[in-house]
Structures are given as C-alpha cells and as structure tokens.
Amino acid sequence: MFEIIFILVFVATLLVTGLTLMSVFAAIGLSILVMLVLGMFGMAIKLLPWVILIAFVVWVFRQGDKAPR
C-alpha cells in the first residue's frame, strides 16, 4: 500500500512541476524498477534465516550419508 501511495504522490509532484509526460513515464518506470529490486532484496533478507536452516539440514543429511558402513 505504501508503494502505491508513493507512486501517486511522485507522479503528482512531477506533473505539478511541469515536466513532460515522457519524462514522467520514464521516472515512473525507474521508480517501479527501484522499488522492485529493493523489495526483492528485503524479501531475501527476511527469508535468510530459513535459507540458513535449510542449508544446515541439507549439510547434516549429507554428512550422515558419508558415514562408513
């Protein structure tokens, strides 16, 4: 929801300052791209503990397979 409000305020500010419509579209595209990248980075950080746990469990199971029989 915050992202939508940001885009609307950003577009309104650009239009009020008198920029051309083409530059407004370019700025919208760039801001959406930046928000997507930062959102994916934030999601990766949020999921990092689970990724570490899964990697640890896989490592433990692989160590168990190497035991002599």
Side-chain angles (χ1 to χ4, degrees):
M1 187 66 188
F2 177 73
E3 290 85 2
I4 295 172
I5 294 172
F6 170 76
I7 292 291
L8 292 175
V9 169
F10 185 61
V11 169
T13 304
L14 290 175
L15 288 174
V16 168
T17 57
L19 293 176
T20 63
L21 198 57
M22 202 59 188
S23 63
V24 171
F25 286 146
I28 291 170
L30 184 63
S31 66
I32 288 174
L33 180 69
V34 167
M35 284 193 299
L36 282 173
V37 169
L38 291 177
M40 286 188 285
F41 182 69
M43 187 61 74
I45 290 176
K46 185 177 181 180
L47 293 175
L48 189 61
W50 291 106
V51 173
I52 291 172
L53 178 66
I54 291 169
F56 178 72
V57 168
V58 168
W59 179 76
V60 167
F61 277 122
R62 286 190 178 177
Q63 292 300 319
D65 289 343
K66 293 181 181 177
R69 295 177 189 210

